[in-house]
Amino acid sequence: MHGTRDGLNWPRAQALAARESASYIARNPASARLAGLAAQHLLFGVPMHWMNDWSTPFALTVSEASGARFRDVDGHEYVDFCLGDTGAMFGHAPSAVAQAIARQASRGYTAMLPSEDAAPVAAELARRFGLPYWQFALSASDANRFVLRWLRAATGRDKVLVFNGCYHGTVDDVFVDLVDGVPTQRDSLLGQVHALTDHTVVVEFNDLPALEAALARGDIACVLAEPVMTNIGMVLPEQGYWEAAQRIIRHHGALLVIDETHTISSGPGGYAREHGMLPDALVVGKPIGGGIPCAVYGFTEEVARKVEQAKRGAPPGHSGVGTTLSANMFAMAAMRANLEQVMTEAAYQRMFGLAARLADGLRDVIAGHRLPWCVTRVGARTEFQFAPSAPRNGGEAQAILDGELEQIIHLYLLNRGLLITPFHNMLLVCPATDESDVARLLTAFDECLGEMR
Ligand SMILES: Cc1ncc(COP(=O)(O)O)c(C=O)c1O
């Protein structure tokens, strides 16, 4: 059994952490001053409490972001491999989106009525993802919540099945983990008073017998899944897994919801389209409007009919689906420009080339330091993990997370003008990233590992 720190000189790594922390404080006086001011009126000192979970002693304040780069208030420029944890996967402020929202800015934002962009956006989503009917939400969390509601209503079944270690946003239903094989409500959830395990079934990814056994009870409305797990470190489906899993799901009368919010890195139609999967419903959030808050979800013809029936057959009143600003004119304009002009095949081809170069380079650096780590890539998304081979499921992925080690590497890179995603080791490239950005990242990563040997 390998440990995440095998091959490292841990006292040296800890000394490096202290040095980088001091360097960050010295480098960022303007961010420090603003963090002090923010602490007076922002709960936890930041606009969202999790902004304190980066590797930094205080939050870095951004002054502007464009393409693959952003600048902080101390005037440092960064190459951004985090890209808003996918919200800016096609670059910050892509010009087609910037122009579309500038145009919309003087033409109204929200009217609780469709704008002229609604029909073309839906048609493009249908073409791209292969599902005929679409609805909108303000975030992927909301989209997932709404899909679960629709599908419970449409099937008359009340349970959902998720994979251990999954994340689909702040959807309460999914926060059930397998702890020593026992479904257990996540204890970090605040203010959660419902017994989540009553209606959520959890199994390990890549475990077909467990999936079959859970579905055989006949009470599961849908399986909600990322086609590749990305939120506990990446976990790839094994050869043939999804073909068999889809057969089992269908056989037991359940529906498959694929959440492509992160795996949209795989291609213009997401991982499912690239790999011939046939989900009953599909969700994409974060980058679908170029970073403007919005999300989409689509259904097959058959599911759409059942969903419509469920709504028409229900008493009048609130459905529990939808929020006032969902599908607003501003977001529609952003989505249309982004889908038509930014998320193009050509943009993806460029990103794939760079991500391949990045993944190969990371493997070379890791091998050069003889560390037992691996690298996984899903299109434009690349990740290094602290184990000799990629994890097969959420349980294994959880076991190789090492927050302290991640933070040392992240802070080292940040102090050298390179941002990667916090919480694990994910790097995204966007169409504006270039070869020299990748080369810079690889050099700094190499030096960082050198310091910890
Ligand atoms: C796969 C997946 N689905 C949904 C979400 C939720 O997105 P949001 O926080 O924008 O609602 C996330 C967020 O990381 C995600 O990774």
Side-chain angles (χ1 to χ4, degrees):
M1 180 72 185
H2 284 265
T4 56
R5 297 173 188 179
D6 285 359
L8 297 177
N9 179 330
W10 194 243
R12 280 197 76 186
Q14 285 174 309
L16 180 63
R19 199 185 80 200
E20 292 302 320
S21 205
S23 156
Y24 178 88
I25 293 167
R27 248 172 76 87
N28 294 296
S31 275
R33 194 180 61 77
L34 287 172
L37 287 177
Q40 293 174 14
H41 297 293
L42 286 175
L43 203 57
F44 305 105
V46 277
M48 291 298 297
H49 68 84
W50 45 256
M51 289 181 181
N52 282 331
D53 295 344
W54 289 80
S55 54
T56 53
F58 46 82
L60 188 75
T61 296
V62 174
S63 59
E64 59 185 296
S66 170
R69 291 177 160 62
F70 72 92
R71 194 173 278 283
D72 71 17
V73 289
D74 284 285
H76 307 119
E77 190 176 277
Y78 297 81
V79 181
D80 192 354
F81 290 92
C82 169
L83 294 167
D85 191 11
T86 313
M89 198 178 106
F90 301 99
H92 292 286
S95 69
V97 176
Q99 283 166 29
I101 60 179
R103 258 194 322 274
Q104 193 63 41
S106 56
R107 304 179 71 210
Y109 309 143
T110 190
M112 286 221 317
L113 286 167
S115 68
E116 289 166 64
D117 292 321
V121 167
E124 171 56 17
L125 292 170
R127 185 194 69 77
R128 195 177 270 256
F129 295 105
L131 292 174
Y133 290 104
W134 292 85
Q135 289 280 276
F136 300 88
L138 283 178
S139 66
S141 298
D142 269 354
N144 281 318
R145 239 189 306 275
F146 299 157
V147 167
L148 293 188
R149 242 177 214 272
W150 281 128
L151 297 190
R152 281 173 163 147
T155 59
R157 294 181 174 189
D158 58 10
K159 293 196 178 169
V160 300
L161 184 145
V162 296
F163 292 105
N164 185 36
C166 71
Y167 183 71
H168 296 281
T170 56
V171 182
D172 284 339
D173 307 67
V174 311
F175 291 110
V176 177
D177 299 320
L178 278 178
V179 178
D180 300 326
V182 181
T184 309
Q185 195 153 323
R186 201 168 296 175
D187 57 10
S188 59
L189 278 190
L190 293 170
Q192 172 56 54
V193 295
H194 302 288
L196 299 180
T197 49
D198 287 354
H199 295 108
T200 301
V201 175
V202 58
V203 300
E204 287 287 15
F205 197 58
N206 280 325
D207 184 345
L208 290 169
L211 181 68
E212 170 99 59
L215 287 163
R217 291 177 215 124
D219 54 0
I220 288 173
C222 64
V223 172
L224 171 60
E226 288 188 277
V228 173
M229 297 184 79
T230 67
N231 280 296
I232 189 148
M234 284 214 269
V235 181
L236 293 170
E238 286 174 348
Q239 188 74 30
Y241 174 72
W242 273 121
E243 287 82 345
Q246 287 181 104
R247 267 199 307 279
I248 294 170
I249 293 166
R250 202 151 294 133
H251 176 73
H252 291 290
L255 300 171
L256 174 61
V257 185
I258 286 294
D259 180 351
E260 294 270 18
T261 297
H262 277 182
T263 48
I264 190 70
S265 63
S266 309
Y271 185 97
R273 204 81 203 270
E274 284 297 313
H275 293 82
M277 292 175 68
L278 295 171
D280 301 286
L282 188 138
V283 171
V284 193
K286 294 195 189 182
I288 198 78
I292 295 293
C294 53
V296 301
Y297 58 95
F299 294 130
T300 58
E301 174 85 36
E302 194 186 339
V303 173
R305 294 286 90 89
K306 286 190 183 151
V307 160
E308 284 181 344
Q309 252 171 32
K311 173 63 187 146
R312 294 204 174 104
H318 292 297
S319 63
V321 175
T323 55
T324 313
L325 297 183
S326 296
N328 66 76
M329 297 188 287
F330 201 67
M332 284 294 179
M335 270 187 281
R336 184 172 183 180
N338 196 47
L339 286 163
E340 289 178 355
Q341 298 173 63
V342 182
M343 289 176 70
T344 59
E345 184 63 44
Y348 273 97
Q349 288 312 322
R350 181 170 160 66
M351 287 151 74
F352 291 164
L354 279 169
R357 165 85 198 90
L358 176 62
D360 289 345
L362 289 171
R363 283 189 195 102
D364 289 347
V365 170
I366 289 166
H369 290 283
R370 290 197 289 284
L371 285 168
W373 298 357
C374 65
V375 175
T376 304
R377 177 170 81 87
V378 174
R381 176 181 299 273
T382 304
E383 181 158 57
F384 60 92
Q385 286 168 304
F386 304 132
S389 56
R392 290 181 53 247
N393 57 45
E396 287 184 18
Q398 174 76 43
I400 58 166
L401 293 178
D402 185 338
E404 216 183 328
L405 175 54
E406 280 166 18
Q407 292 214 345
I408 298 171
I409 299 171
H410 296 191
L411 186 55
Y412 185 97
L413 295 174
L414 190 74
N415 282 339
R416 284 148 189 84
L418 300 154
L419 185 77
I420 75 171
T421 310
F423 319 134
H424 37 101
N425 296 313
M426 201 268 298
L427 298 98
L428 281 171
V429 294
C430 72
T433 311
D434 64 34
E435 291 277 348
S436 67
D437 299 330
V438 170
R440 229 178 101 193
L441 186 284
L442 293 173
T443 303
F445 184 61
D446 189 20
E447 287 166 1
C448 177
L449 299 193
E451 297 249 20
M452 295 192 287
R453 302 277 294 138

